[in-house]
Amino acid sequence: MSPILLVCLLLGYLIMSSSCRAATVTVPLIKDAFAIYCHIGVGTPAQSIAPQVDTGSPDLWVPLPDCPCADSENAKYDPTKSATVSVSEQGYVPFELDYGGEGVRGNPVNDTVRIGGMSLVNQSFAGVLDIVYGDFLTVILGLSFPVTNGTFIGGDPLFWNMVNRKLLDINQFSIWLNPTGSNAVAGEIMFGGVNPARYSGELNILSTPTSNYWRVNASNIHWGNQTILSKPGSAVFDSGTTGIELTTEQWQSLHELAPELSSPCDLSVLPNISFSLGGKVYPITPSVYVVNPADADPLQWPKLGGCHTYIGGPYAGDNTGMIILGLPFFRQYFMTFSYLGTSCSRGNGNCLGEAEIGIATPVSQPVAVAPAPMMSQPIAAAPAPRMSQTVAAAPARMASAKEARYQRVQR
């Protein structure tokens, strides 16, 4: 065999194996009062990025060098420094759209994205050039269905490329946030399966449509033993939203049951807020939904029963009648998101097959033993996800577009 033919065969093999196979990938999470983040590498050599993990939107959003939409230069991606960047068949087709109350514009980009021990070659993502209107936009790793309305025109998002390229033994990802305090490992996201050591008891399974969001039927909301909602609705699981967002009707009912008190905040007298989902009741405790002054400025959040809480409403999507179950729900419960079909592409117009959401009680891990992110090649030291300060320091700056929109609505 001639050397030229051998080289051609080798190149063909590398192209066919363009994404490194890994049955499961576990990535440590970073968390603060506003959001959860993970580390990824973009380009070759890999540029270290810490996107917000967002189950409420579909795409990977990465600010480009000239974008004024991220505080740290380390949170941006420079395509001129990557040997593997490519242009889609349509070329650099500019996009401009509304995202969670923020208007952004930019260009679709294709490059290698590394997450855990997996490399996704020619992964499409949104390169953000500018904020058209709004306050702040950070790096976002979207994990909802690729047919979500309003998405930019590009290739399939990261998780769905894992699915469509058959890189996972199970088309599933799971999110575990450690119930133990901030000195312990914050949590992890696993692609391709579930770590049974991260939850206890039964994993309750709920079906979800594959048309847009990870959402389920909701029948009742309770404040203690009093009913806020007693008619059918739906709830969206959105890790990219800082709080729990209710509709106008639910918000007004809640305020009638929990008037603002002049006395100091006392968690011991506050009840749980509970959600009936798929025939089972899921309570959120006051220790989870009340704002801790050490984590965030309580005055930026609405007040219930004398305490500032992460519960609010109305919100931009109020007319849909959907409840948004944001970070407080993820702090309270271990979550799995499973796709039971075989193909879910943006070009399909619909995902083929069914999907499920699993909910269970998380198990605490008291010792910080989280490994460094595993990449197929070294990545630079991890940047602060949102700011030049550490994650735990001074979280008064709004963490995301949706969190910014959430706070504006409450004022």
Side-chain angles (χ1 to χ4, degrees):
M1 181 180 296
S2 70
I4 294 177
L5 179 58
L6 183 61
V7 169
C8 290
L9 290 174
L10 179 59
L11 287 174
Y13 173 78
L14 291 174
I15 292 172
M16 292 297 291
S17 305
S18 61
S19 297
C20 299
R21 182 175 180 83
T24 60
V25 175
T26 301
V27 183
L29 292 175
I30 308 162
K31 65 180 179 180
D32 61 17
F34 302 116
I36 53 176
Y37 313 86
C38 69
H39 292 298
I40 64 173
V42 182
T44 306
Q47 300 173 44
S48 183
I49 306 290
Q52 178 183 353
V53 176
D54 182 12
T55 60
S57 69
D59 292 302
L60 174 62
W61 295 78
V62 178
L64 299 178
D66 294 333
C67 179
C69 48
D71 283 321
S72 173
E73 291 298 322
N74 291 327
K76 296 180 180 180
Y77 155 78
D78 188 346
T80 66
K81 296 180 180 179
S82 174
T84 49
V85 65
S86 63
V87 181
S88 67
E89 294 180 359
Q90 295 82 15
Y92 283 117
V93 181
F95 63 85
E96 182 174 323
L97 69 154
D98 176 89
Y99 175 72
E102 307 295 306
V104 298
R105 63 186 173 198
N107 293 316
V109 180
N110 295 338
D111 206 341
T112 298
V113 174
R114 298 166 176 83
I115 182 165
M118 182 181 292
S119 293
L120 290 160
V121 174
N122 205 34
Q123 173 63 53
S124 178
F125 56 90
V128 179
L129 292 168
D130 193 15
I131 295 180
V132 182
Y133 60 89
D135 297 326
F136 185 76
L137 184 75
T138 189
V139 190
I140 294 171
L141 174 58
L143 296 171
S144 72
F145 296 97
V147 292
T148 302
N149 293 334
T151 190
F152 87 112
I153 303 301
D156 292 331
L158 183 139
F159 173 66
W160 302 103
N161 256 340
M162 294 181 183
V163 170
N164 297 331
R165 298 181 188 184
K166 305 188 186 311
L167 302 179
L168 304 171
D169 281 348
I170 303 174
N171 295 332
Q172 179 184 66
F173 66 91
S174 57
I175 296 177
W176 168 75
L177 296 182
N178 194 352
T180 306
S182 58
N183 291 330
V185 55
E188 68 185 23
I189 181 169
M190 175 181 282
F191 295 94
V194 172
N195 183 350
R198 295 307 191 199
Y199 71 93
S200 63
E202 180 183 1
L203 184 64
N204 298 299
I205 303 298
L206 305 173
S207 63
T208 179
T210 57
S211 57
N212 44 28
Y213 302 106
W214 295 101
R215 60 185 174 92
V216 299
N217 293 329
S219 55
N220 293 286
I221 305 176
H222 297 282
W223 177 254
N225 59 3
Q226 302 180 82
T227 301
I228 301 172
L229 170 70
S230 59
K231 60 182 180 182
S234 62
V236 174
F237 296 97
D238 183 0
S239 64
T241 293
T242 303
I244 292 173
E245 300 186 356
L246 307 177
T247 67
T248 300
E249 179 184 357
Q250 297 157 8
W251 178 246
Q252 292 172 345
S253 177
L254 178 58
H255 263 273
E256 292 174 1
L257 297 175
E260 295 187 15
L261 306 177
S262 58
S263 58
C265 177
D266 184 358
L267 271 64
S268 66
V269 302
L270 288 176
N272 296 335
I273 183 168
S274 303
F275 300 87
S276 295
L277 309 171
K280 185 176 175 61
V281 176
Y282 296 92
I284 307 294
T285 60
S287 62
V288 171
Y289 70 70
V290 170
V291 178
N292 184 343
D295 296 331
D297 181 2
L299 297 180
Q300 294 182 340
W301 300 92
K303 209 173 186 183
L304 288 172
C307 297
H308 293 275
T309 76
Y310 292 115
I311 303 171
Y315 64 100
D318 187 12
N319 60 345
T320 66
M322 294 190 301
I323 305 161
I324 307 298
L325 297 177
L327 268 184
F329 200 94
F330 287 79
R331 291 192 182 103
Q332 190 84 51
Y333 295 101
F334 174 84
M335 302 286 298
T336 67
F337 300 84
S338 307
Y339 175 57
L340 307 182
T342 58
S343 176
C344 188
S345 175
R346 196 189 305 277
N348 287 348
N350 234 327
C351 294
L352 306 177
E354 300 177 348
E356 294 177 340
I357 295 170
I359 307 174
T361 302
V363 171
S364 298
Q365 179 178 315
V367 181
V369 293
M374 293 172 13
M375 301 286 178
S376 52
Q377 68 180 65
I379 284 183
R386 290 187 295 110
M387 323 176 202
S388 55
Q389 303 139 306
T390 58
V391 174
R397 179 70 184 272
M398 291 173 286
S400 71
K402 280 189 285 187
E403 198 271 332
R405 178 260 301 162
Y406 176 82
Q407 289 194 4
R408 283 201 306 276
V409 170
Q410 302 310 319
R411 291 172 185 165

